[in-house]
Amino acid sequence: GMTAVASSEVLPRAEAQRPADAAGIVETAHVFGDGLVGVLSRPEGPVEGRAALILLNAGMVHRAGPFRMYVQMARALAKAGFAVFRFDQSGLGDSPVSTQASADRKRGEVAAAMDLVARLTGLRKFVLGGLCSGADDAFNIAPHEARVVGLLLLDGVGYPTFGHRLR
């Protein structure tokens, strides 16, 4: 399996003016697992006693999310005291194609992300979420991971019902 501890490193960030929506939060970029790349947004103060949110890619869109939605969500939630980690699953954005060819690849990548966030924040509970296929992945991974205590499903799994057909 993947381990976040052995290969985690913080990527250097060029000195730049902090975006207005990033005031009061800390953002760090990380390489972890099998070369995966992610960004942790967290409040400048403590995050103890809360679950961290992990956002999964929406389709082929990188970790910023469609129209930078994940960046905006992560920063708003960090300002409210939450830790949010958004990362590129293998083969998407800045993460290379995985060397792990298995049906459990996504589950292993999420577990590596949770290991990293736990090490960086001390949090041991997680909410998985995402938009569209990110919601689908969160829905499918959550039952197999005891550390997941909630889901944030945006435009995820839908079932055709009689009411759906009337619309």
Side-chain angles (χ1 to χ4, degrees):
M2 292 183 208
T3 176
V5 177
S7 63
S8 175
E9 62 180 84
V10 177
L11 299 177
R13 182 173 180 216
E15 288 299 318
Q17 187 174 13
R18 181 182 281 200
D21 63 346
I25 66 170
V26 176
E27 291 185 311
T28 51
H30 301 272
V31 174
F32 67 101
D34 195 18
L36 303 173
V37 177
V39 174
L40 177 66
S41 301
R42 59 187 293 176
E44 286 180 343
V47 293
E48 298 159 39
R50 298 178 184 225
L53 172 62
I54 296 183
L55 293 170
L56 305 178
N57 294 91
M60 301 300 289
V61 181
H62 58 69
R63 67 188 171 276
F67 305 101
R68 296 187 73 245
M69 175 183 162
Y70 286 2
V71 173
Q72 294 169 11
M73 282 176 54
R75 290 179 177 169
L77 288 168
K79 283 182 185 179
F82 294 92
V84 181
F85 189 65
R86 51 193 173 84
F87 75 98
D88 290 326
Q89 293 170 309
S90 62
L92 300 175
D94 293 317
S95 294
V97 174
S98 177
T99 59
Q100 311 288 321
S102 77
D104 293 332
R105 177 188 53 80
K106 287 183 181 182
R107 199 162 85 194
E109 291 176 0
V110 169
M114 288 189 284
D115 291 344
L116 174 67
V117 173
R119 188 174 59 80
L120 295 171
T121 66
L123 297 173
R124 302 283 185 257
K125 296 178 182 176
F126 299 90
V127 172
L128 297 183
L131 173 72
C132 197
S133 64
D136 293 346
D137 287 342
F139 181 82
N140 290 317
I141 292 168
H144 305 284
E145 183 54 68
R147 295 176 286 180
V148 175
V149 297
L151 294 168
L152 174 64
L153 307 177
L154 304 171
D155 192 26
V157 179
Y159 300 98
T161 63
F162 181 71
H164 174 78
R165 288 186 188 97
L166 292 178
R167 294 184 201 118

